[in-house]
Amino acid sequence: MKSKTRIGIFGGSFNPIHNGHISIAEELLQTSFVDEIWFVISPQNPLKQGSDLWPDQLRYDIAAKALENHPSLKPCDVEFHLPKPSFMWTTLQELSKQYPDYQFVLLIGADNWLCFNRWYHWEDIMEKHEIGIYPRPGYDIDETTLPPSVRYFQTGLYDISSTEIRRRLKEGEPIDHLVPKEALSLI
């Protein structure tokens, strides 16, 4: 019997997606922990308030363009069709219902792991889904304390943020070294 295709769920605002996001995803793919990674674009993160989000469809279109040369990385708009705010538990349930032949694995940064117990239905997520953690600057993880269903991966650290990209755009500074060239025209 063939095992299920493992889809890594990389959630975020992607406001906009940048080279750091894509580099982390490519490194996680190389570990063989997942077969594909879906970038789930969130219309409203419950842990982030007062954000200056670009329109949902624009963020999706930018991600689609940025990922077009990465066949195992795909944009996903499932949260656009779910109640707001966007809770990962709801998203994972919906994806599991829509794609019963896939196994969904949550991919999060160390910063999110350290506040994971504040997530909606976090115990249920851990019970039903494996979790892969990637490093974030300033957030240390003690791998010896991780539950069996959680793995820590030593990916690179990327000093790029969507906030910095938006600031550079407002100031008229270049961003071509921070985002995929394919997406520049949309940004």
Side-chain angles (χ1 to χ4, degrees):
M1 185 173 127
K2 183 184 180 297
S3 63
K4 289 185 174 186
T5 300
R6 293 170 56 85
I7 306 296
I9 297 301
F10 191 166
S13 300
F14 303 111
N15 192 35
I17 193 171
H18 56 65
N19 291 336
H21 295 132
I22 296 168
S23 295
I24 289 167
E26 288 287 359
E27 287 185 53
L28 289 169
L29 277 175
Q30 290 173 11
T31 68
S32 300
F33 185 58
V34 293
D35 301 305
E36 287 182 8
I37 294 178
W38 293 2
F39 287 73
V40 176
I41 299 152
S42 176
Q44 184 183 352
N45 179 328
L47 297 178
K48 289 183 182 176
Q49 301 300 325
S51 177
D52 57 342
L53 279 181
W54 293 355
D56 295 348
Q57 192 60 50
L58 175 60
R59 290 182 292 125
Y60 177 87
D61 292 345
I62 291 169
K65 205 74 169 134
L67 300 173
E68 68 184 11
N69 292 324
H70 303 270
S72 295
L73 305 180
K74 298 176 172 43
C76 178
D77 67 356
V78 66
E79 289 190 355
F80 295 2
H81 313 288
L82 296 173
K84 293 178 182 89
S86 306
F87 293 109
M88 186 52 70
W89 170 244
T90 308
T91 302
L92 289 167
Q93 283 186 301
E94 180 64 24
L95 288 171
S96 296
K97 187 171 74 178
Q98 286 184 25
Y99 303 96
D101 294 337
Y102 292 164
Q103 180 179 351
F104 292 98
V105 176
L106 181 61
L107 305 174
I108 60 175
D111 54 335
N112 276 307
W113 174 250
L114 294 175
C115 70
F116 194 68
N117 64 348
R118 292 177 39 210
W119 285 34
Y120 180 72
H121 281 268
W122 67 273
E123 297 107 328
D124 295 320
I125 294 172
M126 286 189 61
E127 183 182 316
K128 300 215 183 283
H129 301 275
E130 289 179 72
I131 300 173
I133 304 171
Y134 55 88
R136 292 291 305 259
Y139 297 92
D140 295 325
I141 299 290
D142 179 356
E143 293 180 61
T144 64
T145 65
L146 296 176
S149 64
V150 179
R151 287 192 45 201
Y152 185 72
F153 295 94
Q154 289 289 350
T155 63
L157 292 171
Y158 299 92
D159 192 20
I160 305 172
S161 77
S162 298
T163 303
E164 173 66 9
I165 291 168
R166 292 191 309 275
R167 184 201 65 75
R168 287 174 151 277
L169 286 169
K170 285 180 188 163
E171 302 291 327
E173 296 175 20
I175 62 163
D176 51 318
H177 60 295
L178 302 174
V179 299
K181 65 182 181 319
E182 296 82 5
L184 270 173
S185 63
L186 287 175
I187 296 174

